[in-house]
Amino acid sequence: MNKRLFSAFLSACCLASVSAVMPDAEIDSRVSDLLGRMTLDEKIGQLNQLSGYGYAPDMVGRIRGGAVGSLLNETDPEVVNQLQREAVENSRLGIPLIFARDVIHGFKTIFPIPLGQAASWNPDIVREGARIAADEASSVGIRWTFSPMVDISRDARWGRIAESFGEDPVLSAKLGVAMVEGYQGDDLARPNTMAACAKHFAGYGASESGKDYNTTWIPETLLRDVYLRPFKELVKAGSATFMCSFNDINGVPSSGNRVLLEDILRGEWGYDGMMVSDWGSIEQMIPHGYSADLRQAASQAVNAGVDMDMESHAYTSHLRQLVESGEVSEARVDSLVRNVLTLKYRLGLFENPYVDVASSRRFYAPSSLDAARRAVEESAILLKNTGTLPLNNSKVKKIAVIGPMADAQHDQAGTWVFDLEKERSVTPLTALQQMYGKENVIYAPGLEHTRDLDTKGFANAVKAARKADVVLFFAGEEAVLSGEAHCRADLSLPGAQSRLLAELKSAGKPVVMIVQAGRQLAIMPESEMADAVVYCFHGGTMTGPALANLLSGKANFSGRCPVSFPRMSGQEPLYYNHKNTGRPASGITLINDIELEAGQTSTGCTSYFLDAGDGAFYPFGYGLSYTTFEYGEPVLSATSIAPDGSLKVSCTVTNTGNREGAEVAQLYIRDHVASLVRPVRELRDFAKITLKPGESRTLEFTITPADLEFHVNGAQTVVEPGEFSVWVAPNAGEGTPAKFTVVKPNDSAAK
Ligand code: GLC
């Protein structure tokens, strides 16, 4: 059959396939039937995932021989169909392949990095972005993405914080669920969906010292209260797959951790999806010192419950011998294969294995670009504003656009954008020229890139500043300075950017610093120099139009910090839901205020840094707007409840400014006294609301035992009697608490 005719045939197949959710019982029956006809080698082949390298003879041979279950990194729909035809029509059992890719924050239309999406505090924006990513990626045959990443990240030194939703488990859970819903839709068998992948299971964000792949030491109560919480919600949301993480938790690498992958994930939580290893993570148990060789690693991974081996070649190399020697039962292998085949049925691949080439490459729809722009508008954070913003068109005629991130089409997209077409990125420079006219925008980068130490461009930049009414300084990090294996010990602006800002200030004009980065940076010195500060975690394709709209006032800021910003790098790890300690910081004396020969106890013996003080420079949940909001006192439906009781918290929020704006009202609790000391605050819910000038809205939240409980022993949780505080606040550093009591069980005092 020639290629043109084949494509027409495929299109007919795809259009004819009206997806219908196949009942689980039907899937189970078909899987059992297929398993009964598979040889051991064919079973092992289904557990093998390889990175594709085109329609190559040796790959074709492997597929025809049933030695491959999934390919990642094939993105040409014609090649996908050619390889799929080898599996479906030229292998003994015709089991289709799953094609996968890291579609982390967009396929072609690039959305903000997940940390940026987290700054939107808007599940709808996240869901919409994932839906668009699934539509674009599935149009070339990708039906499985390795996303969402819901690792809790408390350390900005860790490059992969960029891929996370930040430091809080409730925010991460809500946004991770939204991403799963966007990718998978309400019928995973539809050809424009992708299987989601909850990763990296688990505890990867706790990598010691923020160094990637490093060891983690996480007490089980902390693991369950914080790091596992989002993953448990993704099981409930129906994430079709999970990925185990590279790191060890307390000495056991996740790829061999049966307690984690079987007892907790499947035993306690009832997860029935498929578990894939991370790239080479099974083999990496050898350098971990957990496996003597690949054979032992294969045995440990199979018994731990890693269904599919990504690029360790452990299963294809040793699983047959392990079964023949009796070290691994074929029944165990069957249970793993069942998870893989079930996923393929759930994706509808047996009925609809091919991509519709005629309708492939559905990229950059105007509605997608509009959504990408809105995502940046909702996630950029106004951190400081002394009145310079919004740009006043009556006063601002000439704008100096300075800095290495003003026109960075590649770097504004951020990390994990394998399929980026950078020429589609609209930069702030381009958008501002379109908005104000090229003749009114004076551009002088000042530095070639963010790591540039050469100051030869400074003079031109200062000259541009002198000619302008306002300076927009676009600073930040190149994309490569965050992401996997890209950790930084020094969180200050790289290169000579800080010196450039100081030079720009000498021009005597208002300076707005706009930072684009993959993490929260230590920008206290620069924030003090600038008249206004905007933070935009790498925003993707439409960063420029979004920032132009925000800076000009066409749009209003509503982004809020999904992480705590440090004053200095040395404060990391830094997070809002910390313990109070026995000597909490108060009345801080800083290093420059200490008298010479000061006595040992003169600075106060409390928990803080002499140079950095205590707490965040910009706190979790913080962000400004072009309007202002006021919070009323929280009103409780009860002042005391039983341990299994709930109570309602209402609070009236008012827009006290003179323009419409969106506010993120955040619900926090604190358990003041417990058998294990509890954090000073814990986010339990939030609501993003839009209010017109003068408008008030009374929000109502419900606090349930699930909000008050904590783990004490394994899966066991308790809600302990005692005093609690509750806030409805604009961020983790503000708000007036209300008090309530959890009474002892059977105490009639509950009211
Ligand atoms: C990488 C990452 C993982 C990614 C996988 C496939 O090493 O750890 O997040 O999905 O390999 O690219």
Side-chain angles (χ1 to χ4, degrees):
M1 187 185 287
N2 70 35
K3 202 170 173 183
R4 189 186 50 74
L5 196 58
F6 178 66
S7 294
F9 163 70
L10 288 185
S11 303
C13 289
C14 296
L15 291 173
S17 71
V18 177
S19 75
V21 180
M22 186 182 289
D24 282 349
E26 175 64 20
I27 291 177
D28 285 348
S29 163
R30 294 191 186 201
V31 168
S32 299
D33 167 63
L34 192 46
L35 266 173
R37 292 182 282 125
M38 293 171 78
T39 65
L40 177 58
D41 284 336
E42 286 166 335
K43 292 176 183 176
I44 293 168
Q46 286 303 306
L47 308 183
N48 187 34
Q49 180 180 56
L50 299 176
S51 187
Y53 44 88
Y55 188 71
D58 64 329
M59 177 61 81
V60 170
R62 285 171 156 173
I63 294 171
R64 285 180 179 173
V68 187
S70 171
L71 290 174
L72 67 154
N73 300 331
E74 288 291 356
T75 58
D76 178 329
E78 279 89 1
V79 174
V80 165
N81 278 342
Q82 282 181 310
L83 294 166
Q84 187 69 296
R85 186 168 55 177
E86 295 301 343
V88 172
E89 299 183 26
N90 297 333
S91 76
R92 190 177 77 86
L93 291 169
I95 300 172
L97 299 164
I98 309 181
F99 290 87
R101 181 74 158 173
D102 289 283
V103 182
I104 306 300
H105 52 104
F107 182 63
K108 291 293 183 180
T109 302
I110 305 299
F111 276 65
I113 56 174
L115 190 58
Q117 294 187 41
S120 76
W121 290 64
N122 185 344
D124 295 339
I125 281 278
V126 171
R127 188 179 303 106
E128 185 178 21
R131 176 90 303 274
I132 290 164
D135 194 61
E136 291 193 346
S138 62
S139 81
V140 299
I142 296 163
R143 297 294 314 280
W144 180 19
T145 178
F146 302 122
S147 168
M149 187 266 224
V150 289
D151 297 308
I152 297 304
S153 311
R154 295 174 151 182
D155 197 323
R157 294 172 294 180
W158 191 45
R160 303 200 76 166
I161 196 169
E163 301 170 62
S164 79
F165 291 115
E167 67 191 50
D168 181 79
V170 168
L171 180 62
S172 298
K174 286 181 182 292
L175 301 182
V177 165
M179 213 169 234
V180 168
E181 292 166 348
Y183 289 139
Q184 299 189 168
D186 54 11
D187 176 3
L188 189 55
R190 289 187 185 285
N192 69 342
T193 66
M194 287 198 293
C197 182
K199 74 180 186 182
H200 305 79
F201 195 64
Y204 188 18
S207 295
E208 193 172 277
S209 71
K211 194 167 56 173
D212 207 357
Y213 315 121
N214 207 357
T215 186
T216 71
W217 188 265
I218 315 173
E220 186 170 355
T221 52
L222 175 64
L223 180 69
R224 288 175 177 271
D225 284 343
V226 173
Y227 293 96
L228 296 187
R229 191 177 180 120
F231 287 101
K232 188 173 184 180
E233 293 309 311
L234 292 193
V235 170
K236 295 176 192 171
S239 180
T241 70
F242 265 59
M243 179 186 289
C244 61
S245 60
F246 287 126
N247 58 289
D248 72 277
I249 302 177
N250 311 339
V252 181
S254 299
S255 305
N257 193 327
R258 184 180 174 84
V259 170
L260 189 68
L261 307 189
E262 284 289 337
D263 300 351
I264 295 176
L265 182 63
R266 297 186 189 277
E268 287 178 33
W269 299 351
Y271 176 62
D272 70 349
M274 197 265 274
M275 171 70 69
V276 65
S277 78
D278 202 338
W279 186 295
S281 68
I282 294 173
E283 181 178 24
Q284 288 159 24
M285 290 198 282
I286 300 169
H288 262 299
Y290 193 70
S291 309
D293 52 34
L294 195 59
R295 188 178 198 276
Q296 184 185 9
S299 172
Q300 289 163 316
V302 165
N303 288 317
V306 180
D307 297 317
M308 188 172 273
D309 167 4
M310 182 196 292
E311 279 291 346
S312 285
H313 308 275
Y315 291 174
T316 48
S317 303
H318 298 288
L319 203 41
R320 160 172 281 282
Q321 296 85 346
L322 287 165
V323 171
E324 286 169 347
S325 68
E327 288 173 75
V328 173
S329 71
E330 186 155 359
R332 180 65 183 164
V333 173
D334 288 354
S335 68
L336 274 55
V337 178
R338 176 174 292 277
N339 292 332
V340 174
L341 296 177
T342 297
L343 174 64
K344 294 184 176 184
Y345 273 109
R346 286 176 174 167
L347 278 165
L349 289 174
F350 282 89
E351 288 72 30
N352 188 15
Y354 301 112
V355 61
D356 178 5
V357 177
S359 69
S360 68
R361 296 189 174 91
R362 296 189 297 270
F363 308 143
Y364 308 118
S367 58
S368 301
L369 294 171
D370 179 67
R373 191 205 75 252
R374 285 185 284 111
V376 183
E377 287 176 359
E378 287 224 26
S379 56
I381 308 168
L382 182 58
L383 293 173
K384 176 184 179 183
N385 186 19
T386 56
T388 308
L389 294 177
L391 300 177
N392 180 332
N393 292 335
S394 61
K395 292 180 187 167
V396 172
K397 298 302 178 198
K398 295 288 183 187
I399 298 172
V401 171
I402 314 290
M405 289 299 287
D407 196 31
Q409 288 186 297
H410 168 85
D411 289 306
Q412 74 181 40
T415 187
W416 281 107
V417 285
F418 287 153
D419 302 289
L420 169 73
E421 292 171 316
K422 73 169 191 174
E423 59 281 2
R424 300 297 300 238
S425 294
V426 185
T427 66
L429 174 65
T430 300
L432 289 163
Q433 288 172 334
Q434 287 167 351
M435 181 176 280
Y436 290 95
K438 278 195 170 182
E439 69 284 0
N440 295 316
V441 175
I442 313 162
Y443 174 52
L447 293 163
E448 291 305 310
H449 54 80
T450 65
R451 287 167 288 153
D452 192 358
L453 291 167
D454 188 335
T455 60
K456 66 177 180 297
F458 279 24
N460 269 349
V462 173
K463 196 185 297 179
R466 289 205 172 97
K467 290 178 189 168
D469 303 310
V470 68
V471 178
L472 303 182
F473 174 49
F474 289 90
E477 285 181 321
E478 293 149 72
V480 74
L481 300 182
S482 60
E484 183 172 351
H486 299 158
C487 303
R488 295 182 62 208
D490 176 356
L491 298 176
S492 50
L493 283 173
Q497 296 182 73
S498 194
R499 287 178 8 222
L500 174 55
L501 175 57
E503 290 290 313
L504 292 173
K505 283 295 286 178
S506 69
K509 301 295 174 60
V511 178
V512 179
M513 176 172 74
I514 303 99
V515 181
Q516 296 172 68
R519 57 164 60 83
Q520 64 274 36
L521 293 173
I523 54 169
M524 184 166 71
E526 295 80 12
S527 293
E528 285 162 357
M529 283 193 265
D531 298 284
V533 180
V534 171
Y535 213 89
C536 181
F537 296 100
H538 290 129
T541 305
M542 298 299 281
T543 300
L547 288 178
N549 285 346
L550 289 165
L551 294 167
S552 66
K554 286 187 189 318
N556 189 0
F557 286 94
S558 64
R560 298 290 182 269
C561 298
V563 285
S564 304
F565 279 69
R567 292 184 179 82
M568 301 173 83
S569 309
Q571 288 182 271
E572 298 296 332
L574 179 69
Y575 48 97
Y576 83 93
N577 45 359
H578 60 81
K579 307 296 176 56
N580 201 34
T581 78
R583 291 188 173 202
S586 63
I588 285 175
T589 302
L590 289 179
I591 196 162
N592 295 324
D593 305 326
I594 301 171
E595 294 167 6
L596 297 178
E597 299 183 10
Q600 170 61 30
T601 60
S602 60
T603 59
C605 300
T606 60
S607 178
Y608 78 110
F609 293 100
L610 286 176
D611 43 9
D614 180 52
F617 183 53
Y618 295 116
F620 176 80
Y622 172 82
L624 299 174
S625 166
Y626 286 144
T627 187
T628 52
F629 299 95
E630 263 181 24
Y631 285 68
E633 300 264 328
V635 177
L636 308 187
S637 62
T639 54
S640 62
I641 56 172
D644 60 355
S646 300
L647 81 147
K648 294 198 181 302
V649 183
S650 57
C651 180
T652 301
V653 182
T654 303
N655 178 340
T656 49
N658 55 19
R659 68 170 284 173
E660 183 174 284
E663 171 67 339
V664 180
Q666 300 150 42
L667 177 74
Y668 293 96
I669 61 111
R670 179 181 182 179
D671 183 349
H672 285 275
V673 178
S675 57
L676 295 174
V677 295
R678 307 302 305 144
V680 295
R681 279 205 199 195
E682 293 180 277
L683 181 76
R684 283 297 177 258
D685 202 352
F686 58 88
K688 188 165 192 176
I689 56 173
T690 299
L691 296 174
K692 296 189 184 325
E695 182 185 0
S696 293
R697 179 139 356 130
T698 299
L699 300 172
E700 185 172 278
F701 299 98
T702 301
I703 291 177
T704 68
D707 296 313
L708 304 179
E709 69 184 7
F710 58 93
H711 288 87
V712 288
N713 177 17
Q716 185 194 349
T717 60
V718 291
V719 175
E720 292 186 348
E723 184 182 81
F724 286 75
S725 289
V726 55
W727 295 260
V728 179
N731 60 68
E734 292 181 48
T736 308
K739 304 279 187 187
F740 68 92
T741 304
V742 172
V743 298
K744 291 184 173 59
N746 309 320
D747 182 335
S748 58
K751 51 184 181 302

